[in-house]
Amino acid sequence: MLLISPRDVDLLMTPELAVEAAKVAFSWLIDKQVAQPKRQVFTVEGNWWGLMHSYGPDVFAVKLVNVIEGNKSRGLPTINGLVVLASSKNGLPLAVIDGPTLTAWRTAAASVLSTELVVGRSVGTVGIVGAGTQARYHYAVASGYLKVDKFLFTARTSHVKLASELGADAVTLEELMRQSNVIYAATSSTSPVVRGSLLRDDFHISSVGAHTLDSRELDDDVLKRASTVLVDSIEAVEAESGDYLKARELGKPIVELGALLKGQRVSRPTVFKSVGVAAQDLAAALLVYEEALRRNIGTKVD
């Protein structure tokens, strides 16, 4: 069995490989080649815990993930987790992989895949709302996979420093929304931060924050203006997304991302709402494991 650390995941993953894993995952879902129960989540003493598992062709994966707010004062990461990959033929474990790093890659890859399927690989200005881990990985995958003219960053804090590190522009939220034709919203806000009244006519937005029924990352105007709302999984967003519930209330067409891989077309303005699904972890874990074997990266244990 292989132990694959955060550093190993970053060495093994590339934007191309991450998006390829996303294509595999959403193809599995739309073709019903993967069994994926709803994730189990619960909060104890203010800490959020989640368990996600999926069974696909030849492999099975389970991810334990948590959000421990008290870790901020301890100098420890607030998000922790592990992905265990096993053979679905004989049940033997194949790898234990760092969960937060794998999740960061696969989440950003889904956003970038939605952009490719709706806009294409050549885009103008990409705005990233947020300055945390997801913002960094969205930049890494988008800059390595898409042809982007300019990146803009905004957040409540830290975006000026992050933009400077990445050679991008730090702007106000209003400036970002007015200038960007593709926006990645990756915030921890529970109330809307993206405002539809400020958006261009050809916008495509990927929203990966606000993954509870009583939280929103997009205001009503965003959803009213969108011609179509894309989702990773209707079953998943029905259980976890307040943005999805509002889109359904407004009567918006809801299309799973996998349908676009099968040839369905949509026209902008569009929204992609993602809460993350276990099939993404499964596909990403499998490709990372295969790459680790090929490149002899990771720690072998008995």
Side-chain angles (χ1 to χ4, degrees):
M1 184 180 73
L2 282 181
L3 298 181
I4 301 177
S5 72
R7 180 176 177 276
D8 293 336
V9 175
D10 282 337
L11 284 173
L12 293 163
M13 268 294 196
T14 65
E16 291 279 351
L17 187 65
V19 176
E20 176 60 29
K23 290 178 179 179
V24 170
F26 292 114
S27 294
W28 280 347
L29 282 174
I30 205 71
D31 290 337
K32 302 188 185 306
Q33 291 184 300
V34 61
Q36 177 183 267
K38 288 182 182 180
R39 65 176 155 204
Q40 298 172 299
V41 299
F42 58 100
T43 300
V44 181
E45 297 179 338
N47 297 321
W48 183 92
W49 294 79
L51 189 67
M52 302 169 65
H53 42 295
S54 57
Y55 186 104
D58 301 324
V59 284
F60 171 87
V62 59
K63 180 169 74 174
L64 171 66
V65 61
N66 57 53
V67 181
I68 311 297
E69 293 294 341
N71 279 356
K72 292 177 181 177
S73 63
R74 302 181 183 108
L76 297 172
T78 57
I79 300 176
N80 302 279
L82 293 172
V83 176
V84 178
L85 183 71
S87 166
S88 59
K89 292 183 177 180
N90 58 31
L92 294 177
L94 302 172
V96 176
I97 305 170
D98 179 72
T101 312
L102 190 75
T103 301
W105 277 102
R106 63 83 154 153
T107 303
S111 292
V112 171
L113 175 60
S114 77
T115 305
E116 179 186 17
L117 293 174
V118 175
V119 183
R121 291 186 71 164
S122 181
V123 299
T125 299
V126 172
I128 298 179
V129 185
T133 298
Q134 282 298 339
R136 288 180 178 275
Y137 279 86
H138 273 73
Y139 173 84
V141 180
S143 63
Y145 188 82
L146 303 173
K147 181 181 178 182
V148 180
D149 294 336
K150 182 190 294 186
F151 281 95
L152 305 177
F153 279 86
T154 196
R156 286 177 295 182
T157 60
S158 304
H159 65 288
V160 174
K161 179 182 177 183
L162 178 59
S164 177
E165 288 178 15
L166 301 176
D169 294 336
V171 296
T172 67
L173 181 63
E174 181 174 335
E175 289 172 328
L176 182 143
M177 287 187 284
R178 290 192 185 281
Q179 295 179 38
S180 305
N181 58 310
V182 173
I183 295 175
Y184 298 139
T187 75
S188 58
S189 177
T190 57
S191 58
V193 293
V194 182
R195 304 199 297 275
S197 62
L198 299 175
L199 296 173
R200 296 166 47 137
D201 291 335
D202 62 346
F203 69 78
H204 173 68
I205 298 172
S206 176
S207 168
V208 302
H211 50 83
T212 62
L213 294 177
D214 59 354
S215 62
R216 298 273 302 278
E217 197 168 44
L218 313 172
D219 74 3
D220 289 0
D221 287 338
V222 174
L223 298 171
K224 287 176 181 177
R225 291 186 59 189
S227 63
T228 306
V229 175
L230 303 168
V231 298
D232 42 22
S233 159
I234 289 176
E235 182 181 40
V237 293
E238 278 182 337
E240 298 184 23
S241 173
D243 288 313
Y244 165 79
L245 293 183
K246 186 62 181 182
R248 189 178 65 182
E249 178 187 316
L250 293 169
K252 291 294 175 176
I254 310 293
V255 178
E256 291 189 339
L257 192 61
L260 273 62
L261 288 169
K262 292 299 181 180
Q264 184 169 339
R265 293 291 175 259
V266 296
S267 58
R268 288 178 281 170
T270 46
V271 166
F272 172 53
K273 184 62 195 184
S274 173
V275 296
V277 291
Q280 293 172 262
D281 299 313
L282 179 64
L286 177 59
L287 289 185
V288 163
Y289 171 69
E290 291 175 340
E291 188 72 2
L293 292 179
R294 186 181 73 82
R295 295 174 56 185
N296 195 30
I297 290 177
T299 302
K300 296 178 181 179
V301 297
D302 185 354

